[in-house]
Amino acid sequence: MNADASVPRPRTLGPDADPDATDSALLAALLGRAPMGVALFDDELRFRRVNETLAEALGASSDGLLGRRPAQALPDEAAAAVEAALRRVLAGEPAVTDVELALPPAGGDDAQPRRFACSCFPAEGPGDRPVGVVLTAMEVTERRLAEEAVRRREQRYRSLMEAGAQVVWVTSADGTVTDDAPDWRRITGQSLEDYLADGWLGVVHPEDRPKIEAAWRSCVAENRLFEATYRVRTRTGAYRHFEVRAVPIWQGDAVIEWVGANTDVTGQREAEEMRGRLTEQLSAAALRTARLQQATSMLAEALTVSQVVQVITEVGRSAIGADHSAVALLDDDKLRLSIVAPSGPDAEGAAVPRGTIPVHEPTVMSVAVREGRPFTAGTPDQLRLHLGREEPAMFPDERAWVGLPLLAAGAPIGALRFSFTRPREITEEERVFLEALAGQCALAVERALLFEREHKTAEELQRSLLPSDLPQVPTVRLAARYNPATRHVQVGGDWYDAFRLPDDRLAVAVGDVMGKGVLAAAGMGRVRNALRALALNDPRPAAVLAGLDRLFSATEDEEQFTTVAYAVLDPKTGQGTLSNAGHPPPLLLGGGKPARLSTHEAGTPLGWPSQRQQTSFSVETGNTVVFYSDGLVENRRRGVDAGLEELVTVAAGAPPEVVADPERLVDFLLDRMLAGYEQVDDVTVLALHVPPRTG
């Protein structure tokens, strides 16, 4: 029977209540609703009473436990512990309180076992003879888990301290040493009295102590983290480097103590010092290497000899501290050195002298050229000794000199000269660097000379290929612009042309030949000249483009890509015809309509098989037609379609006075379409405007 059935239910008792009834009510409450487990065992160790709390912990009912022994209700280990405790009480012990049971978890195999702290007391009958035992069980699972967590944290902390070879010390809230630190004293050799007197500060290096002690006192006063590195005297008398980190321990709103950890970082500091020495030894070489790489990059962008000289001036100033520099090139007869002026002033802002130096004269650069090796003089006396005389100074404040030959394919093409305003010896490492720099300079000079020759050729070719003047027609106004993409080489594959036909009509053409430089310009010249010749024979646009197709098939590379827009206009009537070979559509403005693109379909580029078509158009008075190349609308950040939309938007924003003036209009379109973009292709723009006719 269960506790509720065997014991009367609790009831409200008055002052005249029956004592037996009162005892029964209290026992019923204890067995029925007590938060702790309670069981009564007879002298044969059988359950006589058990409350629901304990029965639930054992996974049984109160009735099911009555008359059973612990071995029949509990796991083996728990049953053995309970029975042993019960026998001890029955044997005469007044109480047994050291029993702890681990019972199966209520939540399944993965849950934590439930732990209960048990106490056993004798139930005495007549004559104080034990007739049974009372067992109470209080669940302590959460307490044990918390204790285990604290134990693990403490174990981790100790392991961390041991693994980190840290020495821990403790002080009071005001920084006074209160506890001994045997590990610290074993390192420092301090006696207990010495340590309790001065603590860890007592062995800090005298040079470090004032600063460290002031920082420590400040952190203690402000209750903030203390971190420092200092030297500590060890028991051998030598000093080692230690790092300290101390934190305040709070209890509520007050600091109750400080805990610090000292770590020996001598090995780390020695390694850092060694690395520092190695770094000092290698930094100069690394810096020279970096500067040589920088010089190589800068020389790769220098296109003219004067730009090369300017780069050498900047590198000499930054790499070896040169105050002046100069480059001289051999003339064609190899008898004289001509000094090349940089594109700006030299390192000190002084102008580089012009002129020539005979190779046979004893000078810094001529000796380097003749001997094919570096020439150095660290003082004016050394210079006189090497040259046998005073060299006419390029700069009045020179006191040390370096001359290096510029060699191309093993033959000298010039010389490089550095000078300093103070006596200076060149080290072997600097000598190697300067020889490498001279080699890079020689390559850059040779490339710049080739570029300048091509540049001159390109300029002459361009002047011969593009029209110097546009036709003067009373009823039509023309304006054109050509912006090449190839830097400094003012020629490319874009072109434009406008000329009068024998019947007084006006022919206008804009084209684009793939590529840059002289080769593209040569292809452009062939197309332009062929177009003129074909137009004079049969000016119809379709016939002219068909003739260009035949020319391409016969003379041009199959991979060549060329587009052309060609139109013929009658200036008197404004009527015309247009044929397009893969070129962007013309831009139309005026006539009371918004800016728009021509809707006539473009044909294939030149040389691609197609039946050439031509379309008729009319340019009314006050209207403008703009022909252009794809470089105006396409770049690395903007596709063709987006560029065409932007062109229409920009043109729509042009003021009427700009639209009516072709010169202003082409500049307006170029400025706004190219603003904010890197120009990577040639740009050609040609505007044709028919002004309103006066009375």
Side-chain angles (χ1 to χ4, degrees):
M1 59 188 299
N2 61 27
D4 291 337
S6 60
V7 179
R9 293 184 177 275
R11 50 192 174 86
T12 303
L13 302 176
D16 299 329
D18 184 359
D20 293 338
T22 301
D23 293 343
S24 297
L26 293 175
L27 180 61
L30 177 64
L31 295 178
R33 294 193 298 270
M36 70 171 65
V38 179
L40 305 179
F41 291 89
D42 59 18
D43 55 359
E44 296 182 358
L45 307 185
R46 291 192 297 267
F47 281 98
R48 302 293 294 173
R49 295 285 190 273
V50 60
N51 71 349
E52 293 296 338
T53 301
L54 183 58
E56 180 184 353
L58 297 178
S61 65
S62 300
D63 293 341
L65 292 173
L66 297 180
R68 301 176 65 184
R69 296 172 64 92
Q72 298 172 316
L74 279 74
D76 293 343
E77 185 175 348
V82 169
E83 289 188 359
L86 295 176
R87 288 191 179 94
R88 289 167 59 188
V89 172
L90 291 173
E93 289 190 30
V96 176
T97 60
D98 58 352
V99 181
E100 184 165 320
L101 305 181
L103 300 181
D109 295 338
D110 295 335
Q112 290 286 341
R114 300 179 67 183
R115 294 187 174 276
F116 289 82
C118 301
S119 299
C120 298
F121 306 93
E124 298 174 344
D128 296 333
R129 184 178 63 85
V131 296
V133 180
V134 178
L135 180 144
T136 61
M138 179 68 70
E139 184 169 2
V140 292
T141 305
E142 294 297 329
R143 183 193 307 171
R144 295 296 183 260
L145 291 176
E147 292 172 352
E148 178 65 19
V150 171
R151 186 190 64 79
R152 285 198 301 269
R153 284 197 297 270
E154 292 177 349
Q155 185 177 9
R156 285 196 296 267
Y157 173 75
R158 287 193 299 270
S159 300
L160 181 62
M161 291 291 96
E162 294 173 358
Q166 293 179 325
V167 182
V168 178
W169 47 263
V170 180
T171 72
S172 63
D174 62 359
T176 303
V177 174
T178 56
D179 296 338
D180 187 15
D183 293 338
W184 178 251
R185 292 195 295 108
R186 278 194 293 271
I187 294 173
T188 64
Q190 290 173 284
S191 65
L192 178 59
E193 293 75 14
D194 292 339
Y195 180 73
L196 293 177
D198 281 343
W200 55 271
L201 283 170
V203 288
V204 175
H205 195 288
E207 295 177 359
D208 299 341
R209 178 163 179 171
K211 180 178 68 174
I212 296 299
E213 186 169 6
W216 164 242
R217 299 305 177 194
S218 175
C219 291
V220 169
E222 299 175 9
N223 293 329
R224 54 184 173 83
L225 175 68
F226 172 64
E227 290 182 301
T229 302
Y230 48 78
R231 291 167 290 177
V232 170
R233 186 189 68 245
T234 64
R235 66 170 54 250
T236 63
Y239 282 92
R240 299 184 66 83
H241 293 273
F242 276 79
E243 283 184 354
V244 63
R245 178 183 177 91
V247 296
I249 306 301
W250 295 82
Q251 189 174 72
D253 296 333
V255 173
I256 59 173
E257 65 181 7
W258 284 78
V259 176
N262 284 27
T263 305
D264 190 337
V265 294
T266 305
Q268 177 182 339
R269 290 293 295 268
E270 290 176 349
E272 290 175 354
E273 291 174 0
M274 181 176 295
R275 283 197 300 269
R277 289 192 296 270
L278 292 175
T279 300
E280 290 177 0
Q281 295 173 4
L282 297 175
S283 61
L287 182 59
R288 285 190 292 269
T289 300
R291 285 171 173 167
L292 184 60
Q293 292 174 343
Q294 180 187 24
T296 302
S297 176
M298 295 171 65
L299 288 171
E301 297 181 359
L303 298 178
T304 66
V305 176
S306 62
Q307 290 175 346
V308 171
V309 176
Q310 183 63 29
V311 170
I312 293 300
T313 297
E314 296 174 3
V315 173
R317 176 178 56 185
S318 62
I320 61 172
D323 299 299
H324 306 292
S325 65
V327 174
L329 300 181
L330 280 172
D331 293 344
D332 293 338
D333 57 10
K334 308 297 182 183
L335 297 178
R336 304 183 70 84
L337 289 164
S338 297
I339 299 175
V340 181
S343 57
D346 84 321
E348 290 294 317
V352 177
R354 302 294 184 93
T356 59
I357 302 171
V359 175
H360 66 274
E361 289 189 359
T363 65
V364 172
M365 287 197 286
S366 60
V367 170
V369 169
R370 290 200 310 268
E371 298 183 0
R373 60 182 179 83
F375 171 88
T376 62
T379 64
D381 291 339
Q382 291 182 11
L383 182 67
R384 286 191 296 269
L385 178 64
H386 293 322
L387 299 182
R389 66 160 197 169
E390 292 278 358
E391 181 194 48
M394 284 190 179
F395 304 95
D397 55 353
E398 294 176 317
R399 297 295 180 269
W401 299 262
V402 179
L404 302 115
L406 301 180
L407 304 176
I413 61 173
L416 174 60
R417 182 184 191 272
F418 292 113
S419 61
F420 307 86
T421 58
R422 64 195 182 284
R424 190 183 191 285
E425 295 294 335
I426 300 298
T427 66
E428 183 61 28
E429 291 80 5
E430 290 175 331
R431 184 187 183 96
V432 173
F433 167 76
L434 290 173
E435 289 181 359
L437 180 62
Q440 293 295 328
C441 180
L443 293 175
V445 167
E446 191 175 30
R447 184 175 62 250
L449 291 172
L450 179 62
F451 169 81
E452 289 180 350
R453 286 194 293 270
E454 181 181 354
H455 174 72
K456 183 177 180 181
T457 303
E459 285 185 337
E460 294 175 354
L461 182 59
Q462 180 188 11
R463 284 193 293 269
S464 66
L465 294 178
L466 293 178
S468 57
D469 296 306
L470 295 174
Q472 300 295 321
V473 182
T475 56
V476 175
R477 296 173 61 188
L478 296 169
R481 297 288 186 273
Y482 172 67
N483 282 9
T486 305
R487 194 170 48 157
H488 298 290
V489 179
Q490 301 298 317
V491 69
D494 282 18
W495 60 279
Y496 64 90
D497 201 2
F499 54 92
R500 299 287 291 270
L501 295 170
D503 57 3
D504 288 335
R505 287 187 297 170
L506 181 65
V508 177
V510 175
D512 184 1
V513 178
M514 180 181 64
K516 301 288 183 298
V518 176
L519 292 178
M524 174 261 283
R526 290 192 296 272
V527 174
R528 176 177 176 269
N529 292 336
L531 185 144
R532 278 206 173 204
L534 292 168
L536 293 175
N537 180 54
D538 184 353
R540 292 176 302 155
V544 170
L545 294 191
L548 290 176
D549 284 334
R550 292 191 296 271
L551 172 68
F552 253 69
S553 299
T555 63
E556 300 298 325
D557 189 345
E558 292 182 357
E559 297 182 356
Q560 184 61 270
F561 188 92
T562 300
T563 63
V564 176
Y566 171 63
V568 175
L569 178 71
D570 186 344
K572 297 179 181 179
T573 63
Q575 301 298 315
T577 53
L578 168 70
S579 189
N580 191 338
H583 208 70
L587 174 68
L588 310 176
L589 298 94
K593 298 180 181 180
R596 58 208 179 275
L597 298 174
S598 171
T599 58
H600 298 306
E601 183 177 356
T604 59
L606 293 181
W608 293 26
S610 66
Q611 182 67 36
R612 294 300 175 187
Q613 304 292 329
Q614 66 183 33
T615 57
S616 300
F617 67 92
S618 176
V619 183
E620 304 294 336
T621 59
N623 289 6
T624 301
V625 180
V626 180
F627 299 89
Y628 53 93
S629 63
D630 59 358
L632 183 68
V633 295
E634 182 182 19
N635 53 51
R636 292 192 179 98
R637 295 166 47 199
R638 181 177 62 195
V640 174
D641 293 339
L644 292 174
E645 294 179 2
E646 187 172 344
L647 176 63
V648 172
T649 302
V650 169
E657 62 273 15
V658 172
V659 176
D661 186 346
E663 294 287 345
R664 297 176 62 185
L665 178 61
V666 293
D667 290 335
F668 179 88
L669 295 177
L670 282 171
D671 290 343
R672 283 157 179 77
M673 290 299 294
L674 300 183
Y677 297 103
E678 178 187 3
Q679 184 182 344
V680 296
D681 198 2
D682 301 339
V683 177
T684 299
V685 181
L686 186 149
L688 183 152
H689 176 68
V690 178
R693 298 181 181 180
T694 62

